[in-house]
Amino acid sequence: MAMLPVVPESQGHVLAEFDCLDPLLSALRLDSGRLKCTCLAVSRKWLALGTSSGALHLIQKEGWKQRLILTHKEGSITQVECCPHDEDFITVATSQGLVVVWELHLERRGRPERVSVSWEHRGLAITSLCWDTSALRVFVGDTAGKVSFLRAGSSKLGKGSAFVIFPVQTITTVDSQVVQLGYQDGRLLVSSLSRCYLCDTEREKFWRVGNKERDGEYGACFFPQSRSPAAGQPPLLYCARPGSRIWEASFDGEVLSTHQFKQLLACPPTPLISYRSEPHYNPAQKSSQSLVFPKLLYLGDQHLLTWRDSAVYIFTPQSGQVLLWTEIKDLVDVAVYRSELFCLHGDGRLCHLSLMLVERCVERLLRRESWLLAAAVCCMFQHAIAPSRARKSISIDRLDHLKSQLSSTAQPELIGQLEEVILKLEPLDSASSSRRSSISSHESFNVLDCGIYRVISRRGSQSDEDTSSLVSQSMLEEERLKEFNFVQEEEQLDQDPQANERVEGERSEVGLQFHLPLSFRPKPPRIALQAVRDSVSSFVKKTTEKINTLQMNSDLWPRPDHREGGLVEVPVNAAPSLQHMENDSQIQDPLVLLDPTCLGEALLEWLPVLERVLGPEPPMSTDVALPSPQRPTEERWETDNPNVCLETSEAPSLKEQPEPTFEDEQRKEVSPEPNVEEDQDDCHVQSGLPEGEPVAFSRSPPPPEPVQIHSPVPLPAELQADLSQLATLYLELACFGNPVILKGESAVGVTTFLCRYFFLLDQERVRRMCSLCHQDCPEVQSAFVKAMLDVTQASKVVEVIQRGDLLKSLRSLRELQPWNPPQLIAHLHRLYEKHGELALRSFAQFYPAVLPSDIMAMAQRSHFLAYLDNLLQSQAEEQRLSFLGSLLQPESLRQDWLELALTHDSPLQSDTLTPDGQPRWHSHFFSWGYGRLLSLLIGRPADLSSKQKMAESCRSHGYWTGYLSLCCELQRRPEAFSTICYLDDISLVEEPNGVVPQTLEEWKLLIQLSQQLSSVAQGAAPASNGGCLANGSADGCSQVSPENLTLRLARVVGPDRALAALQDCGVKLELRPHSTLVCELLRVAEKRQRALIQTMLERCDRFLWSQHA
């Protein structure tokens, strides 16, 4: 490979192609010579492909799955356009001049239907389609210059709307062929071969943009100056002119300036980054270009896109600069959505491009392991890789790793160039890093595919369900491309730690671990119980025999050297005879397996033997008495460390004291009881504590309890299995005490037992026990994780994780399938400690081996939300609600997760609530980082008290969308209507997502509330409720006012009844001329509908009588 040229510093963006759509076209059979793609359109969810056969293919962008095929017999598809505000509607135009509006009914899972058809342009070629930005209305332009519109009838518009056939209306006929149409805020932009025209569709006024004519296909489009419609800045107009010029005009059609791009385009084209070929850059290709821009499109973040058949051009018109231009051959059509471009070529081939910063492109190439392409981009765009800001996404280690992946024999020049780039790298700027960290503490941001940091301010930002972070998108994208399938397994877990009977009965792996032949055929009860007693007795007898055999041969065990610790080896007393041990361990009561209490008592009798043989070596002690046989072993285990139950911050000096063994306790408890009390009194006096206070040990501070992952002596396999069953059962039955009442003592006892005998415990059952019974005990969780880290330390995956490559680490973990959940948790814990939230977002792929309860115990609360959101998004949309229900075990987690989502990445309460606790104007438009998770949590069925708690939480945090939904479920509709009046958005009382009044009384209540707030607003300052008068629309059509509500009511019950209801409310209102006209039209439509219904009924009546005759 020859030396790669270096691109100038002015080029910081690229067009990159990562996805290959050829398999999609092959599956649709659009790669043959007979059928091919003729047009395309794109939206947030869909990619629509029109074909020469008249079929329209709807492709779901998530996973590139075909969802629908809409067929047309009226010719091939020439134009297609998706509705921008309701993705359930799409319009197509055929070669015979037919325009069809389809309602897909995907949410209702119904059949798609044609809701509107127009033959107004029969026999003419339709050149442009454009949707109204707020209504179900489509504008159509053809080669003869005719511009018409058709309205779609749908049940979403109200009762009876689906049966109304709206007439097709011709707006105007311009002087020549229509090249492009655009619509924004009630105004239609028509670009013809000679001029641009602006039309006010409400006032029916037309005027020209500029005075000079032109001759050719020149496009025009609206250009929003801000994302927020309430920002008060009207959009601009951009109209193409000859000689690579573009007019900038105001919203009223007045030309403000002319942008000349002829000399600015005298630069080499930016290389196209694609997997199909190596990037090519020719610095000598410099010549001015006098071009014709056939169409103009608004792209991404304040960019303007146009194209010819051989290149794509992207401008930044407000600064008058060329962002980039790239050569792409044989272009026929281009569709854009945000920073995505879908290009249709003359041969029917499709390509998917993304506009992004160079460093984001390199990062994605590294994730996809496209080593050669990533190295080439780094060498060509050195100015974008070298600055310190690029270290956020491309660290020096990642570039060193990239260099190591290149072949020294095949790419020596490329390696040399890459080494020069690495030498020029600037370290991460600490000032910039601290500034961005301070920004992230007050505001959240995500990185778009084009590389632009999009800040989501908590003081105001439009909500968007696609504003998830780049890391989340890339991880999901990587999983989709690599097509990993993970089998979903359900685990039935008991949530009550006290219900040991249920645990033993429901979980075969937890209860009845003795493999007893318990037959349920009818037998006499006495014989069945005798069989149980004999079997358990034999099991305990066999285990005790083996333990005592090991104890009697203990002189053969290697003893550790205690010379450094100053301890003296204490000989172990000889074990009792086998007959005596058999008599002690023989279970006389068959309820041992049927009653958990009896089973726990049997295990407590067995525990001292285990402690004597496999426990820690006891130190020599002369001031400790012998055990009292009357004292239960359970109390001895709990009271051996009364000081450890204190928090570390309260008693740091006690943390280092040694754990006394059961042998110490036995010697201590032989002494009479009064002596024990005297010792306690002495401890009180020496420590200076008052009587009755917990007393710490007077001995020297010991080291912390080590975790035993290996047996101190070799054990036979059969004995190891029996001991493992008994030790795990002892831990699961919580023989240390009641874990609900004695939390501190139970946690200490469990931790001590887990550390001492971890080599005997079943790791999976211990993991489940920690999740079910000890969620509030971090000491137990920490001890388990520490033990598993020690167990997995020798794994090869640990070496990969320590290198710091997250993608390789995840790939190594996937190769470990089938997974061992405890060991997998240990590896994920290492990944989380090394990479933080970035790694946690990818842990969703390991479900159900790793459950959310495991992640909760591992991660921070804010990081856990990101994991939970990714886990839910990994499921199909129709399955997310039921999947969330399976995760909410116990049900109390719902409220905890709701509070967590409401307090992280959310707006400030001062922005959503007024000082008196009422909703602020339009505060429901704020962006909630975990809005999708909140909607799922609220949408799950729950009892009345849970719904009430959620409603109060949503109101206290200002999450009005969820609060309105909960008010509807709780039948608190007056509160919902009052909230809507404060928010002042008429769309909240409209379908499909609004709170629609059901009765006439509710309409009257809503009108009265709006009248009260209107009177208050008129007496106060104009911006008293968040600037509703200053920032509202000029005509007030979106406000919750008595006039607008009366018009909505008139559509439901008719204008006469609506005006009568207005009088009943005591509201005196003079309708505007527009509202009066609407009422008259509704009267006419109502009469026509009545006549139509009467005619249909008469025909049905005649038909039935004829059949009867």
Side-chain angles (χ1 to χ4, degrees), residues 60 294 329 679 814 821 824 900 914 927 945 1024:
Q60 185 175 337
K329 302 298 182 183
D679 293 341
R814 287 194 289 264
L824 181 60
L900 201 60
T914 60
S927 173
S945 61
S1024 60

Side-chain angles (χ1 to χ4, degrees), residues 37 68 118 165 224 238 285 300 429 564 597 635 681 799 871 914 931 1070:
C37 184
L68 284 177
S118 170
I165 300 176
Y238 285 98
Q285 186 178 350
D429 187 3
E564 295 181 1
T597 304
E635 295 181 9
D681 293 338
E799 301 178 1
L871 179 61
T914 60
E1070 293 184 2

